[in-house]
Amino acid sequence: MRHRFLSAAVLGLSCVGSAWAQLERGPLPVAMPPAIESPRDIPFPGSISLKVDGRDVTHRVIAVRESVPVVPGKLTMLYPEWIPGYHSGYGPIQRVGGLAFTAGGKRLAWRRDSVNMYAFHLDIPAGVQTLEVSFDYLTAVGPGTGRVEFTPQMLDLSWNTVLLYPAGYFSRQIHFVPSVQLPKGWQFASALEKASQAGDTTHFQDVTLNTLVDSPLVAGKYFERLDLSPNAAVPVHLDVFADEAKYLKMEPAQLEEHRKLVEEALKLFGSHHYQHYDFLLMLSNAIGGQGLEHHQSSEDATEADYFTNWAAQTPKNDLLAHEFVHSWNGKFRRPDALWTPNFNVPMRNEMLWVYEGLTQYWGYQLAARSGLRTAETTKDLLAAVAAGMQDNRGREWRSVEDTGNQPILGQHGANSWPSWERQSDYYMEGVLVWLDVDMKIRELSHGSRSLDDFAKRFAGVRDGSVVTDVYNFGDIVALLQSLQPYDWSSFLHSRVYDVQCSIPEGGFVDGGYRLVYNDTMPAWMASAKPAYIPGQNVAALGFTGNGSYGTSLGFSITPSATLSRVWWNSPAFHAGLLPGMQVISINGQAYTEEVLRKAITDAEGGSKSPIVLTVKEDGQLREVTLAYHEGLRYPHLERIPGTADRLSEMLAAH
């Protein structure tokens, strides 16, 4: 009886506990802070003085001082977050140190917004007319800490990294008066207009914030300026900075090819959208790789031996062509969702297959037309693009349009399985889509029209204007329809917005070619170096020179025998290979490129033995067997007999 009584009592207590649990309230959310003031299209009163000191070569620290006209009351200052061309919130706020605000010689308290880490709130006291802002920009001192922008020989200064600006205004309505101090003896180049120079300090003319951020400055010890448009009314210069003077050496033929690039671009678009243009070319093994478009200039950073080892540059020697095209497509014409009123309103990455994919296509075209590449090499590169896209199994679940979100999702970081996740494929598959469009126009018009005509209608208007003109999907379809009647909406939707397991090969077929594979390595691949500008070259697809086996075994391997990439669902994938593994031996022989290629060739044919690799992972050795018997497979384009060679026509100099 006592047992039954205790059981009942316990049951009663548990019921009371349940009742209390139902009556108790959990925590409620804390109210969000007030929204940051929205930008308005009204003038900011006065101009902001910006002084940048880039002389600390020892520590690679840039000192910043600003004087901002203010009125008493609440003020929010913003550090730029969304920078055009990066396609993500990429402002390096983590590199800001020693931030201080003062007024009348007194330091003011500031508070970072609890949601928006790029916003700083202040209360401006009565009687204060000028706010002094100071901070240090702590550049990366090695590749492990980020992209290197500052070395003892060179500085790549992006103005968005060294300023704050007031919230509540369009960037085109805020004026800055910038100046820069550089190490003694250094020279610089920029699209900014110089006002005066005294010693190592250069003052620039008053400029709007959007133009300032769009006009980077590059400086360095070793510099040469080359005229790419002799005697032209609108000048174009190639401003070359190098780690050492020897890397500035440029052969006459190379100079001529770069001059032809300018001529061919002007011929293609029939207009210009710059008052002058500067290619800011950094040749360095220390400065981080870069390819960033601006309206009247471009930041282009590549290996030091760009000119002196020219044959190895083939996979990426369209870099300058690509960034130059962006002056028309990306800066002058831009998708409406990618235009924002200031640098802290998020961009929406819509239509990057036009912004970047079409630019990439025209970059390939202009590189061939100018002689930076031969037409035959360009065809091999187009084949490599197609092969790389076809082997990206992520196309089975993700559309090209959705890959436009990858810069935001991945923050330009590395991925373990890029062929399954899909990377920024709007670049390279965009090339195939626009090749398809171009060849379809040529076919339907019987050769009387092409994408060249579209280029003039799209970006050849308002000659000389640097004011951005936005577009949307309907505008692109309407322009194509006016050029050549066809169901362009369905054509583009199926290739870009729908999930497609196969690549668009219509551009090859209509152009008179088919994609084939054989055991002959293309000449460009044999001498190529790995490229490091994501998304903008075939090397990003895994074709990184003679260590590329993406279309056969399904991996790429570095000169140090480390697997740099493994393709999803490939023979290497099914055998359990992972990126980062080191290959020790193949079929019992110590690894070399020659041993690997011979093993692939010897295993060709279904009755042959498999390929056995000894690999090291985490210090442990193990054997991996690849049942692969299809031999070496390098992509090429092969002529279709009896068809028009429209592809060669497209690549021919104009």
Side-chain angles (χ1 to χ4, degrees):
M1 288 179 64
R2 287 196 300 271
H3 175 74
R4 288 197 295 272
F5 175 78
L6 289 171
S7 297
V10 172
L11 179 61
L13 287 172
S14 66
C15 290
V16 172
S18 298
W20 274 109
Q22 293 174 14
L23 291 173
E24 279 190 310
R25 299 180 65 187
L28 297 174
V30 175
M32 296 292 283
I36 305 298
E37 187 178 359
S38 297
R40 296 166 293 162
D41 198 7
I42 59 173
F44 175 75
S47 295
I48 298 173
S49 170
L50 173 63
K51 299 178 180 179
V52 176
D53 187 342
R55 293 175 297 174
D56 189 353
V57 174
T58 301
H59 302 101
R60 315 323 191 237
V61 171
I62 300 174
V64 180
R65 303 291 182 270
E66 289 182 75
S67 297
V68 186
V70 294
V71 295
K74 294 188 179 300
L75 174 69
T76 299
M77 297 291 287
L78 301 173
Y79 186 81
E81 178 181 7
W82 291 83
I83 311 304
Y86 283 108
H87 310 312
S88 66
Y90 205 62
I93 188 73
Q94 74 279 8
R95 300 197 183 284
V96 171
L99 179 63
F101 299 92
T102 59
K106 296 182 179 180
R107 196 152 178 162
L108 301 183
W110 58 269
R111 178 178 56 83
R112 193 190 301 265
D113 192 89
S114 60
V115 172
N116 187 336
M117 299 291 104
Y118 289 76
F120 303 89
H121 301 295
L122 301 101
D123 290 310
I124 305 301
V128 171
Q129 296 180 326
T130 303
L131 174 70
E132 303 294 338
V133 185
S134 63
F135 66 88
D136 292 324
Y137 178 62
L138 314 172
T139 73
V141 296
T145 58
R147 177 180 177 260
V148 174
E149 304 159 276
F150 199 178
T151 73
Q153 291 77 35
M154 204 178 303
L155 169 63
D156 180 10
L157 177 64
S158 299
W159 295 99
N160 57 278
T161 64
V162 292
L163 63 83
L164 276 77
Y165 69 96
Y169 301 88
F170 278 24
S171 60
R172 67 190 180 205
Q173 295 281 18
I174 304 173
H175 283 253
F176 275 76
V177 181
S179 64
V180 64
Q181 287 180 281
L182 296 170
K184 187 175 180 60
W186 281 30
Q187 299 183 74
F188 74 89
S190 174
L192 292 177
E193 300 292 347
K194 186 168 67 173
S196 64
Q197 189 162 358
D200 298 325
T201 301
T202 302
H203 297 271
F204 297 97
Q205 295 179 12
D206 185 292
V207 64
T208 60
L209 173 58
N210 62 317
T211 300
L212 177 62
V213 170
D214 201 33
S215 306
L217 178 148
V218 176
K221 283 184 177 181
Y222 306 105
F223 168 70
E224 185 169 358
R225 194 175 208 209
L226 301 163
D227 188 353
L228 296 187
S229 57
N231 305 315
V234 182
V236 178
H237 287 99
L238 178 60
D239 304 307
V240 188
F241 298 84
D243 285 343
E244 300 178 51
K246 66 180 182 179
Y247 293 121
L248 296 172
K249 180 177 174 58
M250 192 179 192
E251 298 297 332
Q254 293 170 329
L255 176 59
E256 184 61 24
E257 288 161 1
H258 285 80
R259 285 176 172 168
K260 285 183 177 178
L261 169 61
V262 176
E263 294 176 7
E264 289 289 350
L266 293 173
K267 181 71 174 179
L268 175 64
F269 295 109
S271 69
H272 67 277
H273 296 287
Y274 46 82
Q275 297 170 350
H276 49 80
Y277 192 92
D278 286 84
F279 291 99
L280 306 176
L281 180 59
M282 294 161 272
L283 307 183
S284 175
N285 295 327
I287 288 284
Q290 179 78 304
L292 187 61
E293 65 270 16
H294 301 282
H295 216 137
Q296 301 190 104
S297 63
S298 59
E299 288 173 89
D300 312 302
T302 188
E303 290 100 329
D305 60 357
Y306 177 75
F307 291 128
T308 56
N309 188 15
W310 186 243
Q313 312 304 325
T314 302
K316 53 188 180 294
N317 64 8
D318 64 315
L319 172 62
L320 299 188
H322 178 99
E323 302 306 338
F324 193 35
V325 168
H326 267 315
S327 182
W328 289 267
N329 182 25
K331 306 307 291 186
F332 174 60
R333 299 302 310 272
R334 191 180 309 174
D336 53 11
L338 277 171
W339 183 89
T340 57
N342 71 14
F343 300 110
N344 291 74
V345 174
M347 298 175 183
R348 289 162 289 168
N349 283 2
E350 298 176 10
M351 300 193 70
L352 284 178
W353 57 276
V354 182
Y355 182 115
E356 295 289 6
L358 181 53
T359 296
Q360 187 74 5
Y361 178 76
W362 278 329
Y364 268 41
Q365 187 180 57
L366 290 175
R369 289 182 177 183
S370 63
L372 290 168
R373 293 174 179 160
T374 67
E376 294 309 308
T377 295
T378 303
K379 291 172 188 175
D380 273 337
L381 290 170
L382 288 171
V385 168
M389 288 292 100
Q390 185 64 74
D391 287 337
N392 274 358
R393 304 307 291 267
R395 65 185 313 107
E396 297 171 8
W397 68 273
R398 193 175 187 187
S399 70
V400 174
E401 169 66 10
D402 189 60
T403 67
N405 296 311
Q406 190 61 31
I408 301 173
L409 295 170
Q411 290 292 301
H412 301 275
N415 301 73
S416 298
W417 303 105
S419 62
W420 182 235
E421 298 168 31
R422 292 202 88 172
Q423 297 297 285
S424 301
D425 288 356
Y426 52 85
Y427 277 99
M428 306 311 286
E429 187 141 342
V431 171
L432 302 181
V433 169
W434 286 103
L435 176 64
D436 205 349
V437 171
D438 196 352
M439 295 302 113
K440 180 61 68 176
I441 293 172
R442 292 170 187 265
E443 178 200 18
L444 294 173
S445 68
H446 305 289
S448 63
R449 289 180 292 278
S450 71
L451 206 62
D452 286 35
D453 301 287
F454 174 86
K456 293 177 177 61
R457 298 188 186 198
F458 174 71
V461 297
R462 290 169 41 207
D463 189 25
S465 174
V466 295
V467 178
T468 300
D469 188 1
V470 298
Y471 61 85
N472 56 35
F473 180 78
D475 296 327
I476 297 298
V477 170
L479 270 177
L480 287 169
Q481 186 69 19
S482 69
L483 177 64
Q484 177 60 55
Y486 192 64
D487 185 2
W488 293 110
S489 180
S490 298
F491 181 95
L492 293 172
H493 261 288
S494 66
R495 289 159 176 77
V496 177
Y497 296 89
D498 295 342
V499 173
Q500 293 284 354
C501 292
S502 298
I503 59 169
E505 292 190 71
F508 294 143
V509 176
D510 290 342
Y513 290 79
R514 63 170 67 94
L515 178 65
V516 298
Y517 297 86
N518 58 38
D519 60 2
T520 301
M521 180 186 292
W524 71 265
M525 193 181 290
S527 58
K529 281 185 174 183
Y532 50 85
I533 303 172
Q536 295 188 21
N537 41 59
V538 293
L541 304 174
F543 293 98
T544 55
N546 55 12
S548 302
Y549 301 91
T551 52
S552 54
L553 296 177
F555 63 68
S556 288
I557 188 167
T558 69
S560 62
T562 300
L563 299 183
S564 56
R565 184 167 178 177
V566 176
W567 270 255
W568 189 267
N569 235 6
S570 67
F573 175 88
H574 289 298
L577 292 177
L578 295 173
M581 288 181 172
Q582 185 178 15
V583 178
I584 304 300
S585 66
I586 302 167
N587 295 338
Q589 288 187 272
Y591 170 80
T592 66
E593 278 283 331
E594 292 72 19
V595 168
L596 177 57
R597 281 197 290 269
K598 185 175 186 302
I600 296 172
T601 302
D602 290 346
E604 190 170 0
S607 62
K608 301 289 186 178
S609 299
I611 302 170
V612 179
L613 275 61
T614 301
V615 299
K616 180 187 287 187
E617 181 186 21
D618 297 329
Q620 302 296 314
L621 296 178
R622 66 183 178 93
E623 285 193 348
V624 175
T625 300
L626 285 82
Y628 176 78
H629 304 286
E630 297 180 34
L632 293 167
R633 298 178 74 246
Y634 295 108
H636 300 271
L637 292 185
E638 179 181 83
R639 280 284 288 128
I640 301 174
T643 61
D645 190 353
R646 298 189 181 99
L647 189 55
S648 292
E649 294 173 5
M650 181 272 288
L651 297 172
H654 283 200

